[in-house]
Amino acid sequence: MGYKVALVGATGNVGREMLNILDERSFPADEVVALASRRSMGVEVSYGDRTLKCKALEHYDFSDVDICLMSAGGAVSKEWSPKIAAAGAVVIDNSSTWRMDPDVPLIVPEVNADAVTDFRKKGIIANPNCSTAQLVVALKPLHDAAKIRRVVVSTYQSVSGAGKDAMDELFSQTKAVYTNDELVNNKFPKRIAFNVIPQIDVFMEDGYTKEEWKMMAETKKILDPKIKLTATCVRVPVFVGHSEAVNIEFENPISADEARNILRTAPGCLVIDKREPGGYVTPYESAGEDATYISRIREDATVENGLVLWCVSDNLRKGAALNAVQIAECLVNRKLLQPKKKAA
């Protein structure tokens, strides 16, 4: 018997990607239900070669649902995730609402899959921030080998991380530049076309943005609370794919060649690192792919035991949808969740 999966937020960028990935990876679902707000009721979404009509979240009975993939934003998750978990479904939540809750595991399967067993405390498992997910996939095997002391990361994040409206704004502004029309900023505080914006999410009292804080706090929770991390997060005019320049200081010696060999065999990582023009991966090439691509691995002579690398991943996939489905696969493969008995 397969599982019944409900997907909340099925009409969004990440929700649609989750449906694609459930089908691509042949997730053992007997039934998949697409849910959204009342205004999206009846909207059709694709699931493999099937078409699903969205049902209203507000009226749905979750009593026979096994797994709920939640991708509808923080406010919806805060209200509905506990209700859905109380009905007996395991909620895998893509928002930031539950990530730092001590009773909710924050999971990247290649990094800390063993922590998934803690889902029983609240019935909720959190998906990390998209920029954190790809970062810790790259850091974990290096941390195991030489113990990371400090990380300095600068991100170059695509507009899809801010949703469909943000993608539309980049498109319309780019078009306006060429047609000499007025550029309108709705989603971003400044124009995004042919520009970069050193702000993602709101500013906090210490001058960091909330996106930067998320990377710092989530990396500690997922990987190691002793790691010191500072981040600068920048929005760039790219539709899909986040890039990161990562400077790492280790406790123990590790060479660029050693790091390259470690990462080549690490789960979820793909090393493309030729020291020649084009011998690296850009966000354009990562779009639609599952791997976290690592390039430009080199030693940093300014600190003892230092390395620098370039890390790129599709933020809609590994940063969100793929990671959520991989968490669901963890539950299934580790036999932590049995399908509910269906009424005869």
Side-chain angles (χ1 to χ4, degrees):
M1 185 193 298
Y3 295 83
K4 182 172 181 178
V5 178
L7 200 162
V8 179
T11 60
N13 284 343
V14 173
R16 291 175 187 269
E17 199 66 27
M18 284 177 174
L19 288 169
N20 290 336
I21 292 171
L22 285 169
D23 177 68
E24 285 173 14
R25 296 172 72 91
S26 300
F27 187 82
D30 278 353
E31 184 180 355
V32 174
V33 181
L35 300 171
S37 64
R38 276 180 291 185
R39 69 177 180 274
S40 296
M41 194 166 62
V43 172
E44 294 184 344
V45 292
S46 297
Y47 170 54
D49 57 3
R50 286 150 286 183
T51 299
L52 307 178
K53 283 193 175 183
C54 286
K55 299 179 180 180
L57 167 64
E58 293 90 337
H59 306 302
Y60 196 74
D61 178 5
F62 286 90
S63 60
D64 63 347
V65 171
D66 299 302
I67 298 170
C68 176
L69 302 177
M70 176 69 72
S71 185
V76 175
S77 176
K78 187 174 183 179
E79 177 183 358
W80 282 94
S81 290
K83 294 179 182 177
I84 297 168
V90 179
V91 179
I92 301 171
D93 178 56
N94 195 52
S95 78
S96 62
T97 304
W98 305 100
R99 290 176 189 158
M100 300 316 296
D101 188 314
D103 292 330
V104 174
L106 179 63
I107 302 294
V108 176
E110 296 93 336
V111 178
N112 64 335
D114 289 346
V116 78
T117 54
D118 290 339
F119 80 90
R120 293 187 178 91
K121 292 177 181 176
K122 281 193 174 176
I124 302 171
I125 302 171
N127 223 19
N129 187 41
C130 47
S131 51
T132 304
Q134 70 186 70
L135 177 67
V136 296
V137 167
L139 293 183
K140 172 66 161 72
L142 299 177
H143 185 53
D144 288 346
K147 201 166 187 184
I148 294 171
R149 176 179 290 154
R150 180 172 182 260
V151 179
V152 180
V153 57
S154 297
T155 72
Y156 310 79
Q157 295 179 225
S158 66
V159 295
S160 57
K164 183 180 181 300
D165 290 345
M167 298 176 76
D168 291 343
E169 187 160 309
L170 172 58
F171 180 83
S172 63
Q173 286 187 1
T174 303
K175 184 179 177 182
V177 169
Y178 286 106
T179 57
N180 204 28
D181 289 336
E182 181 185 1
L183 272 73
V184 178
N185 301 330
N186 290 318
K187 192 70 180 178
F188 298 111
K190 297 199 176 189
R191 64 176 271 182
I192 185 62
F194 303 97
N195 198 18
V196 298
I197 302 172
Q199 176 196 348
I200 300 178
D201 214 325
V202 297
F203 279 96
M204 304 178 75
E205 286 187 5
D206 60 1
Y208 283 87
T209 65
K210 195 170 182 184
E211 183 83 358
E212 292 157 354
W213 174 83
K214 288 175 192 172
M215 291 194 75
M216 294 184 271
E218 292 173 20
T219 299
K220 288 174 178 288
K221 181 171 179 178
I222 295 167
L223 193 55
D224 187 338
K226 294 179 181 177
I227 291 176
K228 296 178 181 178
L229 187 145
T230 185
T232 301
C233 294
V234 181
R235 191 72 73 188
V236 296
V238 170
F239 282 107
V240 177
H242 287 357
S243 306
E244 298 172 351
V246 189
N247 184 291
I248 314 165
E249 183 182 349
F250 296 87
E251 287 193 13
N252 303 310
I254 182 170
S255 69
D257 284 339
E258 288 170 331
R260 202 173 287 111
N261 290 332
I262 289 166
L263 290 166
R264 280 198 175 111
T265 60
C269 295
L270 191 56
V271 176
I272 298 179
D273 188 15
K274 298 178 181 177
R275 293 179 176 177
E276 60 187 44
Y280 41 80
V281 175
T282 65
Y284 175 78
E285 289 132 4
S286 76
E289 301 293 328
D290 290 347
T292 294
Y293 291 91
I294 302 167
S295 311
R296 304 282 329 271
I297 303 168
R298 59 205 188 275
E299 287 155 30
D300 178 4
T302 68
V303 295
E304 189 175 3
N305 305 329
L307 289 179
V308 187
L309 56 83
W310 174 252
C311 169
V312 180
S313 191
D314 182 328
N315 56 292
L316 298 179
R317 291 181 73 89
K318 185 55 192 170
L322 172 64
N323 199 75
V325 174
Q326 287 178 306
I327 292 170
E329 290 172 344
C330 274
L331 293 172
V332 173
N333 295 338
R334 292 173 179 238
K335 296 181 170 55
L336 296 171
L337 183 67
Q338 297 300 319
K340 292 176 182 174
K341 300 295 183 184
K342 306 298 188 292

